[in-house]
């Protein structure tokens, strides 16, 4: 059995390869948990929470069911509710917006910088109203948001800062890991993320004891003591099997990030100067973990078909910005910077991952060059 597809094709991301590389450790973890017979809120979760908090340079971590729940539970823990506004980037995965809507608050889109695709602090300041309670900067595509200007605005305007770090496990801003930069952070361990499990999973990370206490109640039926329910909680817990798998994945995360950085370096070096192509840039102090390598091309659809016909799979993040999605289009008609819509027609994500072979990267490079 081999983890690699035929050399003629390049998949966007090879998920099976993560299992093949770590097979023995993952199988041992599976047997350990099955034989222990403790499947929810047990020792694997507690160990992972400690390990991941430490990794992020934060005091606390709590495993939850998925990344969307991590965001939602943080908003609830901060008592953000109907009548409140929460600032979100106009270009992000829709989960960032859905979390805000699910607590009854209004997501208010903020334009992103055309260089980093991350939230623009100037636009952020303009979007603050007396109803604004929080801001959710998203470390999109693996690159940390330039946090200092955002934290300064948040301090002045008394806003809570929730990092959406679902795409940026281990990314650093002036040497500090994401997850420790705001009041709290939400992570996703969806299989395709840099730190992924083998099902759904997520976590909240924070230095704030009160926020963590609230999330701990809310994720478990509002209960601290069995059958005593003090809040209108939900059921959103990271199970023991996923926690055990994540402990193994966390050990190799930095090494796998280095491999992503090598792929990104090759793309940057070999594709610089290609006509009509815009390559991603890293802002000062920001080290991306390259969850995605996103380029811009005026004939994006043409380039995507050209690559697909030759066996290279690419994706678009995201083909429809949240405000144009069915869920939001009525509410947000004509309300978002048309710049975002123009950008989203040009974006293309090239194959990226820790298991991309050099010959695969080279194939992508030569095809983009010959397009
Ligand atoms: C994946 C993702 C989420 C949601 O995570 P799930 O685990 O799929 O619920 C939230 N925000 C961003 C930016 C994401 O990429």
């Amino acid at each position: 059995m081999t983890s690699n597809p035929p050399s003629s094709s390049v998949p966007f991301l090879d998920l099976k390869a993560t299992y093949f590389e770590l097979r023995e450790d993952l199988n041992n973890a599976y047997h350990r948990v099955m034989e222990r017979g403790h499947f929810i809120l047990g020792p694997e979760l507690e160990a992972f929470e400690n390990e991941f908090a430490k990794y992020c340079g934060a005091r606390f971590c709590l495993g939850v069911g998925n990344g969307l729940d991590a965001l939602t539970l943080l908003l609830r823990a901060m008592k953000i509710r109907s009548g409140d506004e929460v600032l979100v980037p106009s270009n992000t995965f829709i989960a960032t917006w859905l979390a805000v809507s699910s607590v009854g608050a209004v997501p208010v889109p903020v334009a992103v910088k055309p260089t980093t695709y991350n939230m623009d602090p100037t636009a952020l300041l303009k979007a603050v109203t007396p109803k604004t309670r929080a801001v959710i900067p998203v470390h999109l595509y693996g690159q940390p948001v330039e946090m200092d200007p955002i934290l300064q605005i948040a301090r002045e305007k008394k806003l809570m800062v929730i990092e959406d770090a679902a795409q940026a496990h281990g990314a650093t801003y002036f040497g500090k890991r994401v997850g420790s930069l705001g009041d709290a952070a939400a992570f996703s361990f969806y299989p395709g993320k840099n730190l992924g499990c083998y099902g759904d999973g997520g976590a909240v990370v924070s230095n704030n004891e009160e926020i963590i206490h609230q999330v701990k109640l809310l994720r478990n039926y509002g209960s601290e003591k069995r059958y005593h329910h003090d809040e209108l909680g939900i059921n959103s817990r990271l199970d023991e099997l996923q926690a055990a798998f994540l402990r193994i994945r966390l050990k190799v995360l930095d090494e796998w990030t280095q491999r992503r950085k090598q792929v990104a370096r090759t793309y940057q070096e070999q594709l610089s100067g290609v006509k009509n192509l815009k390559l991603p840039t890293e802002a000062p102090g920001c080290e991306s973990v390259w969850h995605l390598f996103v380029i811009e091309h005026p004939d994006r659809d043409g380039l995507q078909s050209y690559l697909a016909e030759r066996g290279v799979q690419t994706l678009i993040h995201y083909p429809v910005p949240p405000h144009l999605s069915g869920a939001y289009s009525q509410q947000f008609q004509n309300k978002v910077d048309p710049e975002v819509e123009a950008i989203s027609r040009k974006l293309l994500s090239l194959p990226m991952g820790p298991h991309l072979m050099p010959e695969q990267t080279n194939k992508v490079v030569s095809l983009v060059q010959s397009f």
Side-chain angles (χ1 to χ4, degrees):
M1 218 181 320
T2 163
S3 62
N4 292 322
S7 62
S8 58
S9 78
V10 185
F12 182 74
L13 173 68
D14 186 358
L15 281 178
K16 275 184 302 188
T18 71
Y19 173 62
F20 293 132
E21 183 172 340
L22 304 171
R23 188 199 314 246
E24 202 182 319
D25 288 347
L26 291 169
N27 287 353
N28 287 341
Y30 166 80
H31 289 294
R32 184 172 75 234
V33 173
M34 295 307 269
E35 283 163 20
R36 187 185 291 128
H38 189 162
F39 300 109
I40 299 286
L41 297 179
E44 302 290 342
L45 178 63
E46 208 171 305
F48 173 71
E49 288 172 342
N50 288 329
E51 288 156 11
F52 194 59
K54 195 167 163 223
Y55 178 83
C56 295
R59 285 176 69 200
F60 308 108
C61 167
L62 290 174
V64 298
N66 54 66
L68 174 59
D69 281 357
L71 287 164
T72 307
L73 290 168
L74 284 173
L75 290 163
R76 283 196 60 188
M78 293 173 182
K79 311 277 191 263
I80 288 163
R81 52 172 75 102
S82 167
D84 295 334
E85 291 177 355
V86 177
L87 303 170
V88 292
S90 52
N91 183 38
T92 179
F93 181 56
I94 197 166
T96 319
W97 289 45
L98 291 175
V100 176
S101 301
S102 77
V103 300
V106 178
V108 176
V110 172
V112 297
K113 287 171 124 184
T115 45
T116 60
Y117 309 111
N118 278 335
M119 203 177 239
D120 180 350
T122 312
L124 172 70
L125 187 57
K126 283 195 198 129
V128 176
T129 76
K131 289 182 180 171
T132 312
R133 292 279 319 281
V135 50
I136 310 182
V138 180
H139 307 301
L140 200 68
Y141 308 148
Q143 164 149 240
V145 177
E146 293 166 89
M147 289 297 283
D148 282 342
I150 289 177
L151 292 171
Q152 195 183 332
I153 294 167
R155 260 192 306 271
E156 277 165 22
K157 304 287 181 185
K158 303 212 170 359
L159 312 178
M160 298 301 280
V161 178
I162 301 173
E163 296 173 73
D164 182 340
Q167 300 188 0
H169 318 74
T172 57
Y173 178 64
F174 290 103
K176 279 182 76 179
R177 287 216 170 103
V178 303
S180 64
L181 305 172
D183 292 294
F187 286 88
S188 163
F189 306 126
Y190 178 79
K193 310 289 186 184
N194 288 28
L195 178 59
C197 57
Y198 299 87
D200 273 313
V204 305
V205 168
S206 179
N207 290 318
N208 184 315
E209 211 156 357
E210 181 51 30
I211 291 171
I212 289 292
H213 177 69
Q214 279 302 311
V215 171
K216 195 166 188 166
L217 290 182
L218 291 171
R219 76 169 175 179
N220 189 33
Y221 304 115
S223 166
E224 198 161 26
K225 193 165 145 220
R226 206 168 198 185
Y227 304 129
H228 291 74
H229 304 274
D230 302 322
E231 298 274 351
L232 295 174
I234 63 169
N235 173 2
S236 182
R237 304 169 300 209
L238 182 65
D239 67 68
E240 285 288 286
L241 272 175
Q242 299 306 335
F245 297 150
L246 283 164
R247 296 180 68 195
I248 293 157
R249 289 287 299 265
L250 182 58
K251 286 202 189 106
V252 296
L253 177 60
D254 285 346
E255 187 200 325
W256 288 16
T257 297
Q258 288 308 319
R259 297 187 202 166
R260 288 175 181 272
K261 286 184 180 176
Q262 184 53 54
V263 174
R265 257 196 303 275
T266 303
Y267 282 153
Q268 295 276 20
E269 283 165 15
Q270 305 291 318
L271 295 176
S272 89
V274 173
K275 197 158 163 270
N276 285 331
L277 196 69
K278 188 176 150 196
L279 295 169
T281 40
E282 283 177 294
C286 298
E287 261 201 53
S288 177
V289 290
W290 299 108
H291 173 58
L292 299 171
F293 191 93
V294 179
I295 60 172
E296 273 182 54
H297 196 285
D299 183 17
R300 185 268 312 276
D301 293 341
L303 176 58
Q304 183 172 40
S305 320
Y306 179 84
L307 293 172
E309 283 155 18
R310 287 154 186 83
V312 171
Q313 188 192 10
T314 58
L315 294 176
I316 297 167
H317 299 91
Y318 294 89
V320 184
H323 72 281
L324 295 180
S325 306
Y328 288 110
S329 54
Q330 285 204 310
Q331 197 180 341
F332 286 95
Q333 242 166 13
N334 306 322
K335 276 200 194 150
V336 173
D337 189 347
E339 191 65 22
V340 172
E341 293 167 26
I343 290 176
S344 83
R345 282 191 288 270
K346 291 186 272 183
L347 298 175
L348 188 68
S349 306
L350 298 183
M352 168 55 79
H355 296 91
L356 207 59
M357 297 291 125
E359 58 272 19
Q360 295 178 308
T361 317
N362 291 339
K363 175 171 176 169
V364 177
V365 163
S366 59
L367 285 173
V368 173
Q369 285 167 341
S370 64
F371 173 66

